[in-house]
């Protein structure tokens, strides 16, 4: 262990961690460039390094990219990576009212904390934790997706019907393309690009960013409030706020670690589940969606914790926890490292050096994130709209194109953007649509696979309602949906009973 | 206010069409492939009906502020042509034109020519550096 | 056809030996003249991606040009294959292809391309089918599994990657040759199917040897679809040993857009054959569970026809299902 710690702390490895975090943060901040792509681009460079250093570089880029997604989410309302969807829900309202600097700083600390929790889990309890990945079968994923979808009802307070409709629209969009189960070619209009379905990244850019861009030019108001001068990065304020919601921070990091372990879930689900839980247990539910600090903390700590969590099944079982992990796993195979339960014994020095490197990278993220975040905030809040709007235009065009180097994705992005903008005029928000789009496939595959397995075993009901983890998720879903009703009633009763 | 009511009816109508189309197409799918398309289609149709019913009996008292409509539409047109021209003209030329157009659309007050030129120079730098970053460092084959 | 491969393999060694000594003749007209774009129609980290990355350094070493691996996943590969012929036909854009996918997909649904639209220049390996169960599974041998499936028709669940894929076809072929009824459960890729095996949600995976190798001691491979036992899985019997005539899997090749000049196609075929002949490359492939084969340009039409015939009955069954 100590040896591994020392070999992770060599100047070369620390430099790799630093460069990786900086590169990752910048790549993650650009809309359209996801952590997956950042890692994929870097893989060939790591072949010349020894395995531990290569892994440290990849892990650092990955950590940075997941965090970098927060900037675009907070400052432009465009989750740069799907993991930052829940960050935008409260981050952008914060930026709008002039707290963009605070939101960026808080997201940095929350990410670092979540990242540390995830990496420590990987360091200390990886082998037993990995079994969680195996406990989640198709049915559990189905219920997890339903739990995520229940967030629609919670998010769209006051416009529940429109929120639900948005969710169904998203579900409909998610069925476009060739079906994993059944093999049907659905709603593609003969377009080969649609055969692969609506790619999530151009969709995110279109649904979130294009309406922002169009509304930006509609008024003369500044895009986001400028910061009052002389406030710096508001580190003290951020730390005080974080201390106040320490339970939220720890809970969200644990949620992120566990969801990261689940191979079919990923950062977006982690952020949303943590957000939902933060909202349910908060004393100020009505603040969520309007710029609640707790929302940003929950989402960012959870999505960063998925990095360490995702490595758990990747290294222990050879099952990639997240899409970037799949690439890292491929890189390991090319380097001749056989992952699996024996890895922690046979390749202990490589593995522990890597984990310590990941921890260092996460710590390095704090100064890097604060510095880049401050620059990004200053730039976006001070650039005149006449420059900001076209700059965002350039970035979303290249972002949508770069995902798969396909011009059709750019057209799809603009079309979805126009769709979202029109829907916004009719009072429909983008978030329920995105939830449907992301969670739809998880729910569909889980449902059909669970049904087929249940049918083969002759017990479909038992398959869906007879498994302990499923029941726990169902209970949480009901709690999330019913809790607001109950607490509303309680408040009303208290008001009635209280003397005027 | 009545406009807002009509708006929901219009939305319901559009939704009904999309939902009905989804259901219609789902007829030919295999049993398992059709479950979620049918669910989504049925949800949309049901939502459309509820939305229309609600709009008929209940008029919300929130006036809707639309803001200007011309600039966003122009912006949308600029983005759409940008997307369509991208593979034809190549990334750098299209982006220079597109960014220039967006700049003119986003400009609310008359600015001195010098400032505009400076703004455009800044954008051109951004386009070129983005093209360099993606094209050379990230191995993205730009059109 | 397997024997054909074996024989060819020997010939290839001789041919590539000759080719290596006369590089100028093999690569006439200085092809490739710039970086090669190697499109993988699947997610990074999968078998297609991994084997392409195995090829990459050797390709660069032989040609002196860099190879850029680009992933365009979607619809089990169909998205990319449907776009193949839209790329510039100069040999600098090449695409990974898989048989049976490119035979099965157009036969089952309208996926935007036909089998004949794919201009393969070389098939470089196949990933053999394998039946994999959890190490704690009650099935010690393939016969245990078959007995259970016969006693309880439909109750044995086979997980695999997607619908109308190599795994799906293999599970049909398996049901056909063992005269059993099993339930096929499609997953989004071979890795999630293996996860379900490890988690005990499904009885077995109709997967690949590579997955059996990757999962190591957590699983038991009951049978592999090769001529002889796979070096990386010495304990797993072949279907032939067990009395079933089944050899095959996912045959991976490289295709070019329609209209690519024949000399360039031949050049590519030669380069890929040269890579296949490299012992270092072969060692990497074999260790991971892949079977290296050579199907050069001239043999492609016969190879595709032979495969089509082999898949015919199973495809008919899938269609009628």
């Amino acid at each position: 262990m100590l040896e591994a710690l020392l070999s992770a702390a060599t100047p070369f490895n620390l430099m790799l961690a630093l460069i990786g975090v900086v590169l990752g943060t910048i790549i993650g901040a650009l809309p359209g460039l996801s952590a997956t792509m950042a890692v994929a681009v870097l893989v060939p460079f790591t072949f010349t390094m020894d395995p531990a250093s290569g892994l440290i570089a990849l892990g650092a880029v990955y950590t940075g990219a997941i965090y970098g997604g927060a900037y675009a989410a907070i400052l432009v309302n465009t989750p740069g990576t799907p993991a930052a969807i829940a960050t935008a829900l409260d981050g952008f309202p914060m930026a709008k009212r002039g707290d963009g600097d605070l939101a960026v700083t808080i997201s940095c600390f929350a990410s670092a904390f979540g990242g540390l929790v995830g990496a420590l889990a990987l360091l200390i309890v990886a082998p037993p934790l990995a079994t969680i990945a195996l406990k989640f079968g198709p049915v559990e994923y189905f219920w997890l997706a339903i739990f995520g979808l229940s967030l629609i009802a919670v998010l769209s307070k006051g416009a529940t019907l429109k929120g639900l409709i948005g969710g169904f629209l998203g579900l409909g969009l998610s069925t476009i393309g060739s079906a994993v189960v059944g093999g049907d070619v659905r709603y593609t209009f003969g377009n080969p690009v649609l055969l692969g379905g609506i790619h999530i990244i151009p969709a995110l850019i279109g649904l979130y960013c294009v309406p922002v861009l169009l509304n930006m030019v509609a008024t003369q108001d500044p895009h986001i409030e400028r910061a009052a001068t002389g406030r710096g990065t508001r580190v003290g304020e951020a730390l005080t706020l974080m201390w106040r919601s320490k339970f939220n921070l720890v809970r969200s990091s644990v949620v992120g670690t566990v969801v990261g372990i689940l191979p079919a879930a990923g950062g977006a689900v982690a952020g949303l589940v943590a957000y939902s839980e933060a909202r349910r247990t908060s004393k100020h539910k009505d603040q969520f969606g309007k710029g609640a600090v707790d929302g940003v903390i929950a989402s960012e700590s959870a999505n960063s914790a998925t990095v360490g969590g995702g490595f758990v099944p990747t290294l222990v079982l050879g099952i990639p926890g997240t899409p970037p992990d799949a690439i890292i796993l491929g890189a390991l195979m090319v380097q001749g490292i056989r992952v699996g339960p024996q890895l922690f014994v046979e390749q202990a020095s490589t593995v522990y050096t890597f984990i310590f490197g990941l921890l260092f990278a996460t710590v390095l993220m704090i100064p890097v994130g604060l510095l880049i975040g401050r620059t990004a905030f200053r730039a976006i809040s001070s650039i005149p709209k006449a420059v900001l709007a076209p700059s965002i235009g350039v970035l979303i065009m290249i972002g949508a194109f770069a995902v798969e180097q396909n011009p059709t994705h750019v057209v799809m992005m603009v079309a979805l953007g126009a769709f979202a903008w029109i829907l916004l005029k009719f009072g429909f928000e983008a978030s329920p649509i995105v939830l449907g789009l992301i969670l739809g496939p998880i729910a569909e595959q889980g449902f059909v696979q669970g049904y087929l397995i249940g049918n083969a075993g002759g017990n479909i009901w038992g398959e869906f309602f007879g498994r302990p983890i499923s029941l726990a998720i169902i209970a949480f879903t009901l709690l999330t949906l019913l809790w607001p009703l109950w607490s509303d009633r309680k408040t009303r009763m208290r008001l009635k009973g209280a003397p005027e | 206010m009545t406009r807002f009511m009509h708006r929901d009816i219009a939305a319901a109508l559009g939704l009904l069409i999309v939902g009905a189309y989804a259901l219609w197409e789902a007829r030919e799918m295999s049993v398992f492939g059709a479950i979620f398309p049918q669910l989504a289609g049925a949800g949309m149709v049901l939502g459309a009906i509820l939305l229309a019913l609600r709009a008929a009996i209940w008029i919300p008292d929130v006036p809707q502020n639309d803001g200007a409509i011309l600039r966003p539409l122009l912006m949308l047109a600029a983005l759409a042509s940008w997307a369509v021209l991208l593979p034809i003209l190549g990334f750098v030329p299209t982006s220079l034109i597109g960014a220039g157009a967006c700049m003119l659309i986003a400009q609310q007050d008359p600015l001195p020519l010098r400032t505009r030129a400076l703004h455009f120079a800044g954008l051109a730098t951004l386009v070129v550096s983005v093209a360099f970053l993606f094209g050379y460092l990230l191995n993205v084959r730009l059109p | 056809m397997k024997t054909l491969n074996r024989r060819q393999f020997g010939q290839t060694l001789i041919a590539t030996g000759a080719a290596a000594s006369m590089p100028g003749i093999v690569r006439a007209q200085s092809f490739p003249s710039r970086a090669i774009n190697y499109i993988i129609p699947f997610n990074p980290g999968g078998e297609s991606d991994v084997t392409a990355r195995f090829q990459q350094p050797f390709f660069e070493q032989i040609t002196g040009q860099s190879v850029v691996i680009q992933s365009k996943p979607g619809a089990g590969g169909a998205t990319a294959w449907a776009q193949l012929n839209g790329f510039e036909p100069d040999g600098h854009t090449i695409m990974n292809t898989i048989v049976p996918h490119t035979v099965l997909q157009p036969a089952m649904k309208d996926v935007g391309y036909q089998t004949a639209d794919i201009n393969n220049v070389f098939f470089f390996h196949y990933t053999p089918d394998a039946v994999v169960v959890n190490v704690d599974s009650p099935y010690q041998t393939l016969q245990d599994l078959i007995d259970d499936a016969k006693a309880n028709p439909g109750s044995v669940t086979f997980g695999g990657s997607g619908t109308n894929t190599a795994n799906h076809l293999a599970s049909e072929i398996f049901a056909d040759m063992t005269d059993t009824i099993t339930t096929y459960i499609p997953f989004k890729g071979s890795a999630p199917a293996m996860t379900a095996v490890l988690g005990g949600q499904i009885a077995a995976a109709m997967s690949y040897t590579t997955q059996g190798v990757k999962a190591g001691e957590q699983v038991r491979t009951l049978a592999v679809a090769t001529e002889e036992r796979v070096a990386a899985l010495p304990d797993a019997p072949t279907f032939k040993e067990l009395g079933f005539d089944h050899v095959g899997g996912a045959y991976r090749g490289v295709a070019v857009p329609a209209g690519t000049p024949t000399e360039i196609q031949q050049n590519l075929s030669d380069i890929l054959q040269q890579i296949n002949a490299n012992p270092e490359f072969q060692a990497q492939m074999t260790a991971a569970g892949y079977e290296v084969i050579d199907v050069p340009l001239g043999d492609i039409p016969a190879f595709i026809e032979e495969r089509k015939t082999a898949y015919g009955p199973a495809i008919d069954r899938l269609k009628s299902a």
Side-chain angles (χ1 to χ4, degrees):
Chain A
M1 279 283 208
L2 192 67
E3 243 169 78
L5 181 68
L6 290 176
S7 62
T10 60
F12 179 67
N13 283 343
L14 286 179
M15 186 194 73
L16 277 180
L18 182 65
I19 294 176
V21 166
V22 172
L23 270 180
T25 309
I26 293 171
I27 290 179
L30 296 172
L33 286 187
S34 61
T36 314
M37 185 174 178
V39 172
V41 164
L42 255 115
V43 160
F45 295 104
T46 61
F47 288 153
T48 53
M49 306 172 188
D50 76 281
S53 303
L55 271 174
I56 290 175
L58 291 176
V61 166
Y62 181 12
T63 309
I66 290 280
Y67 167 57
Y71 298 137
I74 291 170
L75 300 174
V76 202
N77 195 29
T78 305
T81 60
I85 289 169
T87 311
L89 295 175
D90 281 294
F92 186 59
M94 280 184 79
K96 267 241 161 263
R97 69 163 185 242
D99 282 331
D101 45 358
L102 182 65
V104 166
T105 302
I106 281 189
S107 73
C108 180
F109 284 118
S111 291
F113 187 85
L116 286 177
V117 169
L120 284 173
L122 177 65
L123 178 70
I124 302 163
V125 281
L129 263 186
T131 53
I132 294 179
L134 301 179
K135 293 265 166 23
F136 263 68
V139 177
E140 282 76 16
Y141 282 113
F142 168 72
W143 288 118
L144 188 66
I146 298 295
F147 178 47
L149 287 170
S150 73
L151 192 56
I152 290 176
V154 177
L155 279 179
S156 49
K157 219 180 171 193
T160 316
L161 179 60
K162 289 187 173 175
L164 288 176
I165 292 173
F168 280 112
L169 276 172
L171 273 187
L173 286 176
S174 81
T175 62
I176 291 178
S178 157
V180 168
V181 281
D184 294 280
V185 175
R186 307 187 290 201
Y187 313 119
T188 59
F189 308 101
N191 184 330
V193 178
L194 280 183
L195 207 57
I198 301 243
H199 198 291
I200 189 67
I201 292 187
L204 280 182
I205 301 177
L207 292 171
Y208 280 113
C209 194
V210 171
V212 171
L213 199 54
L214 297 183
N215 288 335
M216 191 189 285
V217 297
T219 62
Q220 282 196 302
D221 309 336
H223 167 58
I224 55 174
E225 279 305 318
R226 295 181 66 160
T229 44
R231 282 199 302 199
T233 48
R234 299 170 79 177
V235 170
E237 204 180 338
L239 288 176
T240 317
L241 285 168
M242 301 246 305
W243 177 250
R244 226 178 271 163
S245 56
K246 49 192 173 298
F247 292 115
N248 176 18
L249 190 62
V250 173
R251 180 184 54 232
S252 304
S253 304
V254 172
V255 165
T257 309
V258 173
V259 175
I261 295 170
L262 306 178
V269 177
L272 290 168
V273 169
Y275 182 89
S276 167
E277 279 303 292
R279 188 186 180 284
R280 185 176 65 77
T281 52
S282 169
K283 289 195 190 76
H284 313 282
K285 287 187 191 49
D286 50 328
Q287 286 304 308
F288 277 74
K290 293 179 193 148
V293 171
D294 276 341
V296 176
I297 292 178
S299 170
E300 277 306 304
S301 53
N303 69 27
S304 291
T306 59
V307 176
F311 276 115
V312 169
T314 312
L315 297 178
V316 179
L317 303 169
I319 299 168
T322 60
D325 287 332
I327 303 171
I328 294 173
L329 190 62
L332 284 172
M333 303 276 292
V334 172
Q335 285 201 333
I337 292 186
R338 187 68 53 77
V339 294
Q342 292 306 305
L343 181 74
F344 281 76
V345 185
E346 286 165 9
Q347 301 270 1
S349 73
T350 304
V351 172
Y352 287 110
T353 306
F354 158 62
I355 298 174
F356 281 115
L358 193 65
L359 280 168
F360 291 142
T362 311
V363 175
L364 284 171
M365 198 164 78
I366 295 176
V368 170
L370 287 179
L371 212 66
I372 298 181
R374 195 164 83 146
T375 320
F377 172 70
R378 289 235 171 115
I380 290 184
S381 62
S382 58
I383 290 177
K385 271 185 180 182
V387 179
L388 185 61
S391 305
I392 295 177
V394 172
L395 291 177
I396 63 175
M397 289 291 159
I398 186 96
F401 175 79
V403 171
E404 271 177 30
Q405 322 198 358
N406 196 328
T408 315
H409 279 153
V410 185
V411 177
M412 199 195 289
M413 182 267 290
V414 175
L416 282 173
F419 178 64
W421 182 65
I422 294 167
L423 281 178
L424 206 58
K425 296 266 169 214
F426 285 101
F428 294 90
E429 299 279 339
S431 293
I433 304 178
V434 170
L435 283 186
L437 185 60
I438 290 186
L439 299 171
I442 301 179
E444 178 173 20
Q445 286 163 31
F447 179 78
V448 178
Q449 287 159 359
Y451 183 91
L452 286 170
I453 293 171
N455 197 31
N459 187 0
I460 295 170
W461 289 102
E463 183 72 19
F464 278 94
F465 296 98
R467 298 162 61 102
I469 298 181
S470 297
L471 288 175
I473 304 173
I474 296 171
F476 267 101
T477 312
L478 291 176
L479 205 59
T480 308
L481 289 174
L482 301 179
W483 184 269
L485 299 178
W486 188 72
S487 67
D488 274 4
R489 223 187 96 186
K490 209 172 69 175
T491 324
R492 263 206 308 277
M493 301 250 285
R494 199 187 306 141
L495 282 179
K496 235 186 256 168
E500 293 297 311
Chain B
M1 262 186 254
T2 43
R3 236 184 61 179
F4 190 80
M5 183 191 94
H6 287 307
R7 221 177 245 211
D8 268 5
I9 300 239
L13 199 65
L15 199 63
L16 195 66
I17 295 170
V18 176
Y21 170 76
L23 285 175
W24 179 259
E25 284 277 298
R27 287 169 314 129
E28 310 217 321
M29 295 173 189
S30 68
V31 182
F32 289 112
I35 298 174
F36 269 65
Q38 278 168 345
L39 179 70
M44 283 183 233
V45 170
L46 199 70
I49 294 168
L50 287 176
L51 198 62
L53 281 179
R54 194 181 72 172
I57 55 169
W58 174 68
I59 301 168
D61 49 356
V62 210
Q64 186 94 343
N65 179 24
D66 274 346
I69 197 84
L70 181 66
R71 275 174 205 270
L73 279 180
L74 276 176
M75 189 74 175
L76 188 59
L79 289 177
S81 10
W82 194 338
V84 172
L85 290 176
L86 196 64
I88 303 169
L89 296 182
F91 177 74
V92 174
T94 325
S95 297
L96 287 178
I97 299 169
C102 288
M103 189 179 98
L104 292 179
I105 296 164
Q107 217 156 64
Q108 306 265 358
D109 339 281
L111 286 174
L113 203 60
R114 218 179 94 91
T115 322
R116 288 188 195 196
L118 265 176
H119 283 178
F120 189 73
L123 286 173
T125 321
L126 177 76
V127 170
V128 173
S129 45
V130 161
F132 175 77
L133 174 73
F134 281 77
Y136 289 91
L137 301 182
L138 299 176
N139 263 331
V140 172
R141 292 220 160 165
L142 296 173
Chain C
M1 117 98 220
K2 298 311 152 277
T3 48
L4 181 99
N5 279 336
R6 291 273 147 183
R7 198 178 64 236
Q8 264 179 357
F9 193 59
Q11 290 173 346
T12 311
L13 283 175
I14 301 160
T16 41
S21 58
M22 296 177 288
I25 293 166
V26 173
R27 294 197 312 282
Q29 296 167 347
S30 68
F31 170 84
S33 55
R34 55 188 165 84
I36 297 268
N37 221 11
Y38 194 175
I39 299 172
I40 310 298
F42 294 91
N43 277 316
E47 277 93 358
S48 297
D49 181 68
V50 168
T51 49
R53 289 190 194 283
F54 281 152
Q55 289 177 313
Q56 190 179 24
F58 300 102
F59 202 112
E60 292 178 344
Q61 197 184 318
I62 293 171
T63 62
Q65 294 290 347
S66 62
V67 173
V68 180
I69 291 179
Q70 215 185 71
S71 112
K72 286 185 191 264
T79 319
W81 293 322
Q83 295 175 68
L84 170 63
N85 288 339
F87 292 102
E88 208 180 330
D90 62 357
H92 291 92
T93 300
I94 60 179
M95 193 183 278
N96 188 284
T97 63
I98 304 182
V99 167
H101 295 49
T102 54
V103 173
L104 197 53
Q105 288 174 348
M108 299 298 294
K109 298 275 167 189
D110 175 19
V111 287
Y113 72 91
Q114 295 300 322
T115 308
D117 293 342
I118 311 286
N119 290 279
N120 293 296
V121 297
F122 193 82
F123 280 88
F124 67 101
H125 83 272
Y126 75 102
T127 318
D129 295 329
V131 177
V132 184
V133 297
N134 194 309
V135 74
D136 299 326
S137 162
Y139 308 136
Q140 295 298 326
T141 63
L142 191 68
Q143 197 55 47
D144 294 346
L145 190 151
I146 296 170
D147 290 344
D148 189 16
K150 282 214 166 123
N152 308 294
S155 74
V156 174
T157 46
F158 262 124
S161 165
T163 310
N164 301 340
T165 56
N167 291 160
H168 192 188
L169 191 72
S171 82
E172 272 309 308
I173 293 173
F174 179 81
D176 215 17
M177 76 191 172
T178 57
D179 199 22
T180 52
I181 296 172
T182 53
T183 304
Y184 179 75
I185 319 255
F187 284 84
K188 196 182 166 70
S190 37
M194 283 303 294
T195 311
V197 166
L198 295 181
Q201 282 97 16
I202 52 175
M206 182 52 87
S207 192
Y208 298 123
T209 47
T210 48
Q211 295 292 333
V213 174
K214 212 189 274 178
E217 288 150 22
Q218 310 166 79
V219 295
R220 180 163 54 241
T221 307
L222 297 184
V224 295
T226 47
E227 291 285 343
E228 278 147 39
R229 288 200 179 195
V230 176
L233 294 167
D235 297 331
T238 64
F239 276 105
K240 286 208 157 172
E241 281 176 52
L242 301 169
F244 301 106
D245 184 23
H246 176 49
V247 175
Y251 295 82
R252 286 199 175 75
V254 172
V256 292
T260 306
T262 321
E263 312 91 82
I264 290 181
Q265 294 194 24
Q266 189 59 51
N267 278 344
L268 274 169
S269 175
D270 293 342
I271 293 167
L272 292 165
Q273 196 158 1
Q274 218 172 317
I275 297 171
N276 261 8
N278 188 308
E280 205 184 323
F281 174 74
Q282 287 176 6
Q284 276 182 331
M285 294 284 283
T286 319
Y290 300 96
E291 289 280 292
V292 177
I293 55 165
D294 282 279
V295 184
L297 186 61
D299 297 344
I300 299 264
F303 171 75
I304 297 283
E305 273 317 304
E306 191 266 354
R307 286 285 92 196
K308 270 186 174 170
T309 322
Y311 302 143
I315 290 181
D316 290 342
R317 273 183 52 150
L318 281 177
K319 271 186 178 165
S320 62

